[in-house]
Amino acid sequence: MAETSTESTLGYEQARDELIEVVRRLEAGGTTLEEALALWERGEELARVCRDWLQGARARLDAVLAAEAAEEAAEEAEHADGDVEDAATGE
């Protein structure tokens, strides 16, 4: 599915707020079937935009956590190597 320029420029908060409004209007009723379908379709688009933002945020967090874990492992290995060398030299 091609992304429209409007969808690509929506931030997470904007999409979320508009989605909340769409849901509110659908729950309130009083719309024609055609209007309800259009709202539903827009809600699906907005939900996808929100999901994409959240997946991107999760990927960024996972990358940071993985980098921190790798850094900690490297530091621990460095300290362990130093302890082994100290034990070998009797220091």
Side-chain angles (χ1 to χ4, degrees):
M1 176 188 311
E3 187 174 287
T4 67
S5 61
T6 301
E7 291 173 11
S8 65
T9 60
L10 279 179
Y12 171 78
E13 289 81 5
Q14 293 168 310
R16 181 203 59 212
D17 291 347
E18 187 178 341
L19 179 57
I20 290 168
E21 179 61 20
V22 166
V23 170
R24 187 195 63 73
R25 288 180 61 196
L26 284 169
E27 288 177 340
T31 59
T32 66
L33 177 59
E34 191 62 35
E35 290 170 334
L37 288 173
L39 285 169
W40 180 271
E41 290 170 349
R42 182 62 180 159
E44 288 290 330
E45 293 170 5
L46 293 165
R48 185 187 51 76
V49 170
C50 290
R51 187 172 42 254
D52 291 347
W53 272 105
L54 291 173
Q55 287 172 341
R58 169 52 64 191
R60 289 174 59 189
L61 288 172
D62 288 346
V64 168
L65 292 174
E68 287 177 356
E71 186 177 311
E72 287 176 14
E75 288 175 6
E76 288 176 10
E78 190 175 293
H79 287 20
D81 288 345
D83 292 343
V84 169
E85 289 174 12
D86 290 346
T89 61
E91 294 179 17

